[in-house]
């Protein structure tokens, strides 16, 4: 039995151009949110089943790449254009040369993918719902249905989503929501990214259907809402090579811990360590498990109502009451 199922509806074929003394060095990898999460899960020693659609030429290459990495994949194959991008990183930063999200899923393709994901989620016990490469790949309501069906069966659901897909998943009910402060701002769930506004938004997400809420904040400590308590999650700040995929690594660390029977506090600590290590690397969703577990020992979690100077802040209960009154 696999520990975690990953719903990755539209994986991406990534082509990256790097510097090399003899000229351009071209790399092909399987990518996209669900794949980066699955890759980190495997690095942490967690077995994974990926559920994905592979489209056209890029999809055939993608599936071969995943097979070479040793992933267990439940696949739907189809014709047409799949997700892919070409990035030039020879100057030290990512320059987008070309990108495509691929084509929307048909009803038949979606039905098949839904069935595979439901089966994998029931077997695994923990499922990550990740987003597609493009907005129009599939209806957001798919996330509501999957969350509701898996939760009805008593399984854990972790939603790493934003926008309409997050709103839909919340209606189905989820164990954990992981979202960034920038995503909350882009979704108009907060007017700014101050801590007070983020905590208020976390309580609203909880009332919408999330048992636990994690908000990542680039360059700052993360926030965790578990039951009625908000905590700050302080992680070590390492030298940055590439921030892409750090949030997905965090989600993977959370899923790996919960699948192994850990608490939400233990889960967010490992997730913070995985995300911190990921930024030091150019490989997305990668990192040595031993280093991640060492970094986890440096993660500090404490209640958000008191900061490092000892000044008292608005308590989560008072803040929740203020939000209700507003």
């Amino acid at each position: 039995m696999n520990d975690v199922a990953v719903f990755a509806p539209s994986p991406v074929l990534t082509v990256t151009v790097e510097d090399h003394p003899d000229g351009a060095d071209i790399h092909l990898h399987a990518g996209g949110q669900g794949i980066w999460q699955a890759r980190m899960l495997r690095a942490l020693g967690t077995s994974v089943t990926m559920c994905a659609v592979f489209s056209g030429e890029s999809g055939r290459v993608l599936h071969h790449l995943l097979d070479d990495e040793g992933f267990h994949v439940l696949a739907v194959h189809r014709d047409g254009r799949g997700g892919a991008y070409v990035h030039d990183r020879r100057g030290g930063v990512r320059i987008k040369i070309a990108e495509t999200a691929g084509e929307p899923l048909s009803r038949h393709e979606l039905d098949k993918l839904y069935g595979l994901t439901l089966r994998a989620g029931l077997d695994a016990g923990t499922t990550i719902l990740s987003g597609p490469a493009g907005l129009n790949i599939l209806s957001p309501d798919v996330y509501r249905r999957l969350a509701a069906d898996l939760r009805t069966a008593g399984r854990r659901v972790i939603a790493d989503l934003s926008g309409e897909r997050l709103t839909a998943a919340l209606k189905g009910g989820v164990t954990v929501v992981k979202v960034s402060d920038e995503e909350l701002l882009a979704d108009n769930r907060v007017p700014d990214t101050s801590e007070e506004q983020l905590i208020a938004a976390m309580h609203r997400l909880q009332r919408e259907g999330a048992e636990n809420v994690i908000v990542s904040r680039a360059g700052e400590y993360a926030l965790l809402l578990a039951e009625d308590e908000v905590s700050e999650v302080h992680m070590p700040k390492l030298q940055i090579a590439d921030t892409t995929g750090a949030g997905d690594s965090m989600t993977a660390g959370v899923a790996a811990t919960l699948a192994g029977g850990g608490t939400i506090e233990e889960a967010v600590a490992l997730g913070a360590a995985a995300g911190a290590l990921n930024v030091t690397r150019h490989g997305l969703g990668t990192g040595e498990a031993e280093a991640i577990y060492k970094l986890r020992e440096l993660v500090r979690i404490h209640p958000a109502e008191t900061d490092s100077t000892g000044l008292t802040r608005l308590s989560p209960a008072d803040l929740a009451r203020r939000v209700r009154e507003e």
Side-chain angles (χ1 to χ4, degrees), residues 245-256:
D248 299 320
S249 293
M250 184 181 209
T251 299
V254 170

Side-chain angles (χ1 to χ4, degrees), residues 12-16 31-32 36 83-87 94 96-100 244 284:
V12 176
L13 177 64
T14 73
V15 182
T16 307
W36 296 328
Y85 69 65
V86 181
H87 286 183
R94 287 180 180 270
K96 298 178 182 179
I97 306 300
E99 289 186 334
T100 177
T244 308
L284 304 183

Side-chain angles (χ1 to χ4, degrees), residues 224 229 231-234 264-270 299-303:
L224 166 67
E229 182 172 311
S231 300
E232 297 175 358
V233 183
H234 292 264
I264 185 62
E265 290 79 12
E266 292 168 338
V268 77
L270 186 64
V299 175
R300 296 291 178 262
I301 301 175
H302 60 73

